[in-house]
């Protein structure tokens, strides 16, 4: 009875207009922050400027005593190719570059929602509804306001719907620019389509790495692992939301003689390999996409803005919302998109006695484990929907 009434509310014109207005306000708010002095702090512009000035941004961060040329949190943790394709932004003033990248990010997000929804054959009002909810979510606003590249990664994952195998695998491989998204997708492509497809998917990053090394006149093997070196040095696991890598990191509190990072990566790769074999059994591309991205979130560390990649799961569950498993999936995703931030507001109010526009994010070990278990539950709920 409750869900029948809820469906009637969703179909009402007033509700849809209200949601559109709120979504516009959310986009404008994120856009304004991205252009402020505190915005676009993750936009990888300064490493790109360093690169085109013939300075290796990875070396600069790893070995320089003074890293003032890296603005905000624009640490070079991404694949070499990103600093090549960001060349166009180095030609612009800082404010103009932030403006253009923010507009592109909004475009990437809305386009991803349209592509996934159209694949699910949803009605136009349902597509508008999903776009509005997506734009209202905390991860979407964070991605735009911080200048993150996760919306580009999400759009790259949408290439899974392309029929042509070369185009599909090449465009999927663009997501490798953010290394935490690489293992699960690379293993899936290898299992599903073979080594040739895996090689095609790696072309974008491989060519970027080669150009990067030649442009700086540095040894290919010397520059190959530098992004990972920076990522391990820079990682702040206290901000991660719910993943196996972070949970295994709890062992740091004990005196362990072996290299914990290597052990953690090996364990996660074994878990990922097992799950990839499981996902490879399915033929529904949207279900595959949903499962791949959910696994990504609960294996490697991700901050809250990366939870925008739950969009395929949201659309998949919404399209099959008559199923109890789909309803549970939707509730879990809404918790990650809205509930976590609501909890931050409540915690901030309890600590300070008033509500602030940007409350601090509180992440405890218990919450990390809880979120991890919720993501595992989401994974199995998505699988159950088809049975």
């Amino acid at each position: 009875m409750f869900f029948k009434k809820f469906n009637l509310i969703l179909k009402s014109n007033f509700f849809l207009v209200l949601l559109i207005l709120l979504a516009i306000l959310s986009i404008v708010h994120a856009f304004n922050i991205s252009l402020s002095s505190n915005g676009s702090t993750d936009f990888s512009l300064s490493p790109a400027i360093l690169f085109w000035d013939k300075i290796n941004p990875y070396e600069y961060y790893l070995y320089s005593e003074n890293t003032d040329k890296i603005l905000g949190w624009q640490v070079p943790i991404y694949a070499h190719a990103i600093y090549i394709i960001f060349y166009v932004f180095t030609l612009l003033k800082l404010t103009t570059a932030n403006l253009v990248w923010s507009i592109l990010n909004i475009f990437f997000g809305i386009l991803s929602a349209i592509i996934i929804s159209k694949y699910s054959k949803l009605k136009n009002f349902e597509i508008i509804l999903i776009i509005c909810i997506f734009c209202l979510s905390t991860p979407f606003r964070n991605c735009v306001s911080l200048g993150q590249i996760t919306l580009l990664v999400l759009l790259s994952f949408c290439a899974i719907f392309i029929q042509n195998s070369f185009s599909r695998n090449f465009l999927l491989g663009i997501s490798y620019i953010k290394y935490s998204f690489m293992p699960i997708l690379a293993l899936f492509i290898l299992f599903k389509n073979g080594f040739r497809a895996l090689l095609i998917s790696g072309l974008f990053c491989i060519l970027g790495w080669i150009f990067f090394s030649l442009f700086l006149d540095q040894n290919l093997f010397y520059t190959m692992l530098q992004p990972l070196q920076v990522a391990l040095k820079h990682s702040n696991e206290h901000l991660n939301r719910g993943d196996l890598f972070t949970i295994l990191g709890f062992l740091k509190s004990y005196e362990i003689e072996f290299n914990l990072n290597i052990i953690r990566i090996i364990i996660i790769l074994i878990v990922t390999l097992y799950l990839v074999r499981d996902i490879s059994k399915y033929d529904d591309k949207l279900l595959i996409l949903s499962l791949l991205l959910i696994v990504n979130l609960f294996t490697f560390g991700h901050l809250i803005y990366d939870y925008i990649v739950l969009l395929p799961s949201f659309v998949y569950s919404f399209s099959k919302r008559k199923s109890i498993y789909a309803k549970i999936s939707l509730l879990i995703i809404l918790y990650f998109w809205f509930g976590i931030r609501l909890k931050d507001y409540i915690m901030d109010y309890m600590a300070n006695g008033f509500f602030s526009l940007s409350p601090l994010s509180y992440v405890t070990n218990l919450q990390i484990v809880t979120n991890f278990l919720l993501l595992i539950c989401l994974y199995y709920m998505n699988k159950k929907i088809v049975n």
Side-chain angles (χ1 to χ4, degrees):
M1 190 69 178
F2 169 79
F3 285 101
K4 284 183 179 179
K5 290 183 179 179
F6 185 67
N7 279 330
L8 289 174
I9 293 171
L10 293 183
K11 292 179 180 179
S12 68
N13 290 332
F14 173 77
F15 177 79
L16 203 58
V17 170
L18 178 62
L19 211 56
I20 290 170
L21 291 174
L22 290 173
I24 291 171
L25 286 174
S26 178
I27 291 171
V28 170
H29 180 59
F31 188 73
N32 286 337
I33 294 176
S34 72
L35 301 181
S36 70
S37 57
N38 296 320
S40 298
T41 52
D42 289 353
F43 179 31
S44 298
L45 179 61
S46 45
I49 293 172
L50 286 170
F51 169 70
W52 289 103
D53 284 342
K54 292 266 187 177
I55 300 171
N56 183 322
Y58 305 114
E59 285 183 346
Y60 179 80
Y61 178 78
L62 287 169
Y63 308 119
S64 298
E65 291 184 6
N66 186 343
T67 56
D68 289 346
K69 291 183 179 180
I70 294 177
L71 304 175
W73 292 94
Q74 298 177 12
V75 178
I77 57 175
Y78 303 124
H80 314 80
I82 194 72
Y83 308 116
I84 297 167
I85 64 173
F86 272 17
Y87 171 70
V88 64
F89 296 112
T90 68
L91 304 176
L92 306 173
K93 292 181 179 179
L94 177 61
T95 52
T96 307
N98 288 343
L99 172 70
V100 174
W101 181 243
S102 298
I103 293 171
L104 283 173
N105 252 340
I106 294 166
F107 172 73
F108 294 153
I110 294 174
L111 181 59
S112 298
I114 292 171
I115 290 171
I116 297 167
S117 299
K118 285 288 187 182
Y119 180 83
S120 295
K121 299 179 180 178
L122 297 179
K123 297 175 183 177
N124 288 336
F125 88 89
E126 292 175 323
I127 295 174
I128 295 171
L129 178 67
I130 283 170
I131 291 172
C132 289
I133 294 173
F134 183 55
C135 292
L136 277 166
S137 70
T138 299
F140 180 86
R141 279 198 308 277
N142 284 3
C143 263
V144 174
S145 61
L146 294 174
Q148 259 291 324
I149 66 168
T150 313
L151 284 163
L152 174 59
V153 170
L154 177 61
L155 182 60
S156 171
F157 267 91
C158 291
I160 198 170
F161 303 123
I162 296 174
Q163 294 298 320
N164 181 275
S165 60
F166 182 90
S167 299
R168 180 179 64 249
N169 291 312
F170 179 81
L171 292 173
L172 280 171
I174 293 176
S175 66
Y176 294 168
I177 55 176
K178 194 161 184 173
Y179 283 124
S180 55
F181 285 94
M182 179 191 287
I184 182 73
L185 179 59
L187 286 171
F188 172 78
I189 291 173
L190 178 62
F191 267 83
K192 197 78 170 177
N193 304 114
F195 182 76
R196 181 176 178 274
L198 177 64
L199 187 61
I200 292 170
S201 73
L203 281 177
F204 181 78
C205 286
I206 291 171
L207 292 174
W209 161 51
I210 292 171
F211 181 88
F212 181 96
S213 303
L214 293 177
F215 183 77
L216 296 178
D217 194 25
Q218 292 187 330
N219 186 288
L220 284 167
F221 296 102
Y222 175 71
T223 59
M224 182 169 63
L225 296 179
Q226 285 182 334
L228 294 177
Q229 289 178 274
V230 173
L232 288 173
K233 177 183 177 180
H234 175 69
S235 65
N236 186 348
E237 294 174 22
H238 298 292
L239 297 177
N240 291 340
R241 286 294 176 172
D243 60 279
L244 184 58
F245 188 81
T246 302
I247 290 171
L248 291 173
F250 294 168
L251 295 173
K252 286 180 179 178
S253 58
Y254 301 95
E255 293 185 7
I256 301 173
E257 296 182 359
F258 52 78
N259 189 315
L260 185 58
N261 282 334
I262 294 175
I263 298 299
R264 285 195 290 176
I265 290 171
I266 291 172
I267 291 172
I268 289 171
L269 288 177
I270 292 171
V271 172
T272 301
L273 188 61
Y274 168 78
L275 293 171
V276 163
R277 291 171 67 101
D278 182 44
I279 296 171
S280 299
K281 297 183 297 185
Y282 297 99
D283 295 317
D284 186 331
K285 289 182 178 179
L286 182 52
L287 174 60
I288 289 170
L289 181 58
S290 302
L291 296 178
L292 286 174
L293 290 170
I294 293 168
V295 170
N296 211 291
L297 290 178
F298 72 67
T299 49
F300 282 99
H302 291 277
L303 274 67
I304 191 63
Y305 46 67
D306 282 343
Y307 282 67
I308 56 162
V309 300
L310 289 176
L311 175 64
S313 179
F314 186 80
V315 175
Y316 180 72
S317 302
F318 183 84
S319 67
K320 302 179 184 296
R321 57 190 179 277
K322 290 183 180 180
S323 164
I324 184 63
Y325 301 112
K327 291 180 175 70
I328 295 171
S329 295
L330 288 171
L331 289 174
I332 293 172
I333 295 167
L334 290 174
Y335 163 74
F336 284 120
W337 281 2
F338 300 98
I340 286 180
R341 196 57 172 163
L342 180 60
K343 181 267 300 177
D344 289 339
Y345 278 108
I346 294 170
M347 295 289 288
D348 195 65
Y349 177 79
M350 290 174 65
N352 302 314
F354 59 88
F355 288 107
S356 60
L357 288 174
S358 299
L360 293 174
S361 185
Y362 299 88
V363 187
T364 64
N365 289 351
L366 177 60
Q367 289 164 350
I368 290 171
V369 173
T370 302
N371 293 340
F372 172 71
L373 294 175
L374 282 172
L375 285 169
I376 291 177
C377 179
L378 181 61
Y379 176 83
Y380 284 102
M381 288 300 105
N382 274 227
K383 286 176 58 178
K384 283 284 188 179
I385 293 172
V386 299
N387 295 332

